Amino acid sequence: CRGPAAPAAGPRRTRRRAQPRCQGAKHTRISAVAVEQEQEGLDYSHADAMEMTTGQLRSAFPLAAVVGQTAIKSALLLGAVDPKVGGICISGRRGTAKSIMARGIHALLPPIEVVQGSMANADPKDRKDWDPTLVARIEAGEFPMGSDGMPEFPTQVKQTPFVQVPLGVTEDRLLGSVDVEESMKTGKAVFQPGLLAEAHRGVLYIDEINLLDEGIANLLLNVLTEGVNIVEREGVSVRHPCKPLLIATYNPEEGKLREHLLDRLAVVLSADQPMSMEDRVAASMMAEKFADSAANLADEMEEDTDGARTQIILSRQYLKNVTITDAQIGYLVKECMRGVVQGHRAEVYATRVAKAWAALDARDKVKAEDLSKAVELVIMPRAQPLPDMPPPEEEQPPPPPPPPEDEM
């Protein structure tokens, strides 16, 4: 689904792809942990990391075992590399592996290091990630200061959060509210974090987003757009960062997704794709293997799974240096105009997708192929269909011949 030729993105450079191919599944998993520790600066043992990774991968259906759905798997990888790319929504009828793919990409995400006792998975190395409560504790001298001027927090490494928003969720449960029991014990208002605090730096999953209450959906998307959750009620004034990867799914047979929600999601793709006889047989065989032994299927897919996980870790580092030119952004804007795409979110999302796709290919400059992928995933699904051509005017019958002269 390529558009017209995109402007060149600079001279071609030959670089090794981020995804390594090691000999042996065990070696690939250990190498992924080593890369992660080197790139992220995490401090934990190989045994701890492998225990977290193994448990996470074996409990989920491997994304590599999903047959077909190439576009959706590519979009999920982009979201794993850059959660700021925008939400990813998968539509499809029952049994099309929507939730399986959402949980499958979560299993590929590396563990995160957080400050113990922080309300929203605070990153100990990023000042912008510290909530006001944590800053107040720092100013009160609760933590010793290191030689680099950074507080020496007690930290822990844990699996990337996966938080599912139930359809009947209340505003208090989503945003956070006053903890009545603790407030009565302490004599002052105590904030109880909500689902958005739990999902920060992780995955926020919404199943059947088309059935989610409209008010709740608007609140949620506003917070995700701003990247911060502000709660002011009942004597409590709290704010904390909220930057998860949003993944949503829905069944179009149960109702359409509202237009304003579609506009707020970067990538909306359908899982209802035709499958060949061979693909359907392969999908059934994978499902049977997982039902018989999830661990055996995880072992079978281990090399591909760990290669993808390592690729995500390395691509996050490449992304910091990826550049895109004004001419390339102009190309994306022109494609939006050509498709009569409303608003300006499409070109913003498309720019982020192009940069993330370049990072996945271990490059620091956006190329034509990255722009084409952004057009395919972001702009084309938003493009307005061409208006129906008016039916051709019916040809008028020829006039009757003039009467003979003898009848005149």
Side-chain angles (χ1 to χ4, degrees):
C1 300
R2 290 181 178 270
R12 294 182 62 88
R13 300 175 64 183
T14 303
R15 302 186 65 170
R16 186 177 64 176
R17 291 186 62 88
Q19 183 171 348
R21 289 294 179 184
C22 303
Q23 297 296 323
K26 182 177 181 181
H27 185 275
T28 54
R29 186 169 61 189
I30 294 177
S31 67
V33 173
V35 168
E36 182 181 338
Q37 286 188 290
E38 178 183 353
Q39 299 290 349
E40 302 292 341
L42 301 184
D43 182 18
Y44 54 89
S45 67
H46 281 256
D48 292 339
M50 291 183 67
E51 182 178 354
M52 284 187 290
T53 303
T54 302
Q56 193 171 5
L57 296 179
R58 289 176 184 272
S59 62
F61 191 92
L63 187 63
V66 176
V67 179
Q69 308 295 359
T70 304
I72 294 177
K73 290 190 285 188
S74 297
L76 291 172
L77 278 175
L78 291 170
V81 171
D82 183 13
K84 294 185 295 184
V85 79
I88 298 169
C89 186
I90 308 170
S91 70
R93 296 188 295 271
R94 292 183 296 273
T96 49
K98 302 186 297 295
S99 60
I100 284 176
M101 288 187 282
R103 288 178 167 82
I105 193 64
H106 168 250
L108 298 179
L109 298 179
I112 59 174
E113 186 180 20
V114 303
V115 177
Q116 288 185 6
S118 60
M119 71 169 65
N121 302 320
D123 186 344
K125 299 180 179 64
D126 186 1
R127 294 178 182 271
K128 297 179 181 179
D129 209 48
W130 301 346
D131 59 78
T133 302
L134 184 58
V135 173
R137 294 170 61 189
I138 297 171
E139 294 174 348
E142 184 174 337
F143 309 106
M145 303 300 293
S147 58
D148 57 356
M150 295 288 286
E152 296 181 349
F153 297 113
T155 63
Q156 68 178 106
V157 177
K158 67 177 188 178
Q159 288 184 2
T160 298
F162 184 91
V163 178
Q164 182 168 351
V165 178
L167 288 180
V169 67
T170 62
E171 182 177 337
D172 287 348
R173 182 70 184 99
L174 182 69
L175 304 180
S177 62
V178 174
D179 189 329
V180 177
E181 184 176 350
E182 288 298 320
S183 299
M184 293 180 64
K185 290 180 181 179
T186 60
K188 60 180 181 181
V190 177
F191 179 69
Q192 182 178 22
L195 295 177
L196 294 182
E198 298 175 20
H200 178 54
R201 299 177 64 198
V203 175
L204 185 67
Y205 176 57
I206 308 174
D207 191 18
E208 306 295 352
I209 188 175
N210 56 328
L211 304 181
L212 190 65
D213 178 78
E214 185 172 1
I216 293 294
N218 290 335
L219 280 173
L220 186 150
L221 292 175
N222 287 336
V223 170
L224 296 183
T225 300
E226 297 173 3
V228 60
N229 179 31
I230 302 175
V231 181
E232 295 181 348
R233 64 180 66 184
E234 301 170 358
V236 171
S237 179
V238 177
R239 57 185 298 148
H240 65 77
C242 181
K243 299 177 181 179
L245 167 61
L246 173 63
I247 302 178
T249 58
Y250 75 99
N251 183 351
E253 294 179 342
E254 298 175 353
K256 293 183 178 180
L257 191 60
R258 294 182 288 274
E259 289 294 330
H260 76 281
L261 292 183
L262 282 171
D263 184 53
R264 303 284 286 273
L265 297 166
V267 180
V268 181
L269 298 173
S270 173
D272 291 327
Q273 302 298 327
M275 296 181 66
S276 65
M277 177 75 170
E278 293 76 11
D279 285 346
R280 293 182 70 116
V281 170
S284 298
M285 291 178 63
M286 288 295 182
E288 282 297 312
K289 289 182 179 180
F290 184 76
D292 291 340
S293 175
N296 288 345
L297 182 59
D299 289 339
E300 183 179 337
M301 296 292 163
E302 192 168 31
E303 185 173 355
D304 289 337
T305 296
D306 198 78
R309 185 169 179 267
T310 305
Q311 185 179 16
I312 291 171
I313 297 169
L314 295 176
S315 298
R316 288 180 175 181
Q317 300 303 314
Y318 283 114
L319 182 65
K320 298 175 183 179
N321 301 317
V322 174
T323 59
I324 184 170
T325 66
D326 292 345
Q328 291 170 331
I329 296 177
Y331 165 77
L332 295 176
V333 172
K334 288 180 181 178
E335 287 299 292
C336 290
M337 295 175 64
R338 193 174 70 150
V340 197
V341 177
Q342 299 179 0
H344 302 287
R345 287 193 176 98
E347 49 257 41
V348 174
Y349 292 147
T351 300
R352 294 174 184 170
V353 165
K355 294 174 68 175
W357 193 255
L360 272 173
D361 200 32
R363 287 183 279 104
D364 58 4
K365 291 183 180 179
V366 172
K367 295 170 56 176
E369 63 191 70
D370 309 318
L371 300 178
S372 297
K373 178 59 68 171
V375 171
E376 174 191 345
L377 295 179
V378 179
I379 297 177
M380 288 184 63
R382 286 175 160 79
Q384 301 294 324
L386 293 175
D388 295 334
M389 299 296 293
E393 296 183 3
E394 295 183 2
E395 296 182 0
Q396 298 295 329
E405 293 183 359
D406 57 352
E407 294 183 6
M408 297 181 63

